[in-house]
């Protein structure tokens, strides 16, 4: 089964720069990204954002950029719509995986083992 990770994070929020603020000298968004990269069950990695900082930071780690339109980067924008936009992006490029791991840029506590266990449960 093909597995892809999609990390989502936007530039604007009530806490400016929260997705790339540093914890122990690493931007917050790198924690979930690195957890996904360390999971051998994931074959492809994408980042959906309107933030050049987030897009460039994660593309250096191997994530492919999905540039989020402004209408999906507003405070009232729904995460579901961001995911639909990302799925449409993958579908148009014939890169649709069978399993998608959704990662939030502001979730530094995610662990590789959690990702792996979830994928394994879905596969069963």
């Amino acid at each position: 089964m093909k597995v892809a990770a999609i990390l989502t994070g936007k530039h604007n929020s009530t806490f400016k720069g929260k997705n790339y603020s540093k914890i122990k000298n690493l931007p917050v968004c790198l924690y979930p990204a690195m957890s996904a990269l360390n999971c051998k069950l994931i074959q492809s990695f994408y980042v959906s954002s309107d933030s050049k900082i987030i897009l460039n930071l994660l593309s250096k780690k191997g994530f492919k950029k999905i540039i989020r339109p402004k209408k999906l980067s507003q405070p009232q924008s729904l995460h579901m719509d961001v995911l639909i936009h990302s799925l449409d992006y993958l579908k148009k490029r014939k890169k649709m995986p069978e399993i998608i791991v959704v990662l939030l840029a502001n979730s530094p506590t995610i662990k590789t083992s959690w990702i792996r266990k979830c994928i394994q449960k879905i596969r069963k």
Side-chain angles (χ1 to χ4, degrees), residues 2 9 12 14 17 33-36 39 42 53 56 69 74 85 88 96 106 111 117 119 121-122:
K2 291 182 184 178
N12 289 327
T14 51
M34 297 309 292
S35 292
C39 182
I42 302 174
I53 295 169
N56 291 333
Q74 304 304 312
H85 174 260
D88 287 343
M96 189 63 88
N106 62 356
K111 295 181 181 181
K117 286 177 186 174
I119 294 169
K121 283 187 184 264
I122 292 170

Side-chain angles (χ1 to χ4, degrees), residues 36-52:
L37 287 168
N38 288 326
C39 182
K40 304 296 184 221
L41 302 176
I42 302 174
Q43 293 84 34
S44 52
F45 305 86
Y46 297 90
V47 54
S48 167
S49 186
D50 63 321
S51 167
K52 289 180 183 177

